[in-house]
Amino acid sequence: QLQLVESGGGLVQAGDSLRLSCARSGRTFSSVAMGWFRQAPGKEREFVADISWNGATHYADSVKGRFTISRDNIKNTVYLQMNSLKPEDTAVYYCAAGGRVGAYAYWGQGTQVTVSS
């Protein structure tokens, strides 16, 4: 069984930065694709960024150039560096893992990010 635990959320002002972390335990991390998603109040969960086992990354247009996803296979952790945060980035951010990008079978509990204007 694979478990994911997110951390790093909080309340910040527009223009600030945050780094989210997702610590993984269980299945071999290096072969797992990882993703970040978010869900704002009253909206559906949406894709933010993902990173494949070989380090290839993809981003939603809304965060491209501001967010960076990375992974540390030694620490079994994936990160989401979020810069130039905007109020519209306010959401619960979820980490996900799966055998390949887009096929996520495991989800974390989420961490709240609130950006004030």
Side-chain angles (χ1 to χ4, degrees):
Q1 187 71 11
L2 188 151
Q3 294 182 331
L4 305 171
V5 179
E6 303 99 331
S7 62
L11 172 62
V12 296
Q13 294 185 333
D16 286 350
S17 298
L18 276 177
R19 188 177 79 158
L20 305 183
S21 299
C22 175
R24 173 214 151 268
S25 61
R27 182 175 169 183
T28 302
F29 185 72
S30 61
S31 63
V32 173
M34 305 291 296
W36 284 99
F37 292 76
R38 67 187 182 186
Q39 187 167 19
K43 296 187 177 180
E44 295 187 352
R45 187 175 298 184
E46 65 175 4
F47 167 77
V48 175
D50 61 37
I51 184 166
S52 66
W53 65 272
N54 63 358
T57 58
H58 303 90
Y59 297 93
D61 288 343
S62 59
V63 306
K64 202 171 293 183
R66 299 188 298 123
F67 291 11
T68 303
I69 188 171
S70 61
R71 64 192 296 161
D72 185 330
N73 290 341
I74 302 259
K75 295 182 178 180
N76 290 338
T77 301
V78 64
Y79 303 99
L80 185 68
Q81 178 66 43
M82 306 186 295
N83 298 330
S84 302
L85 283 162
K86 304 175 181 180
E88 51 263 44
D89 294 319
T90 295
V92 177
Y93 283 71
Y94 297 91
C95 174
R100 58 180 176 83
V101 165
Y104 300 110
Y106 303 95
W107 294 82
Q109 293 301 305
T111 185
Q112 176 71 47
V113 172
T114 303
V115 184
S116 63
S117 57

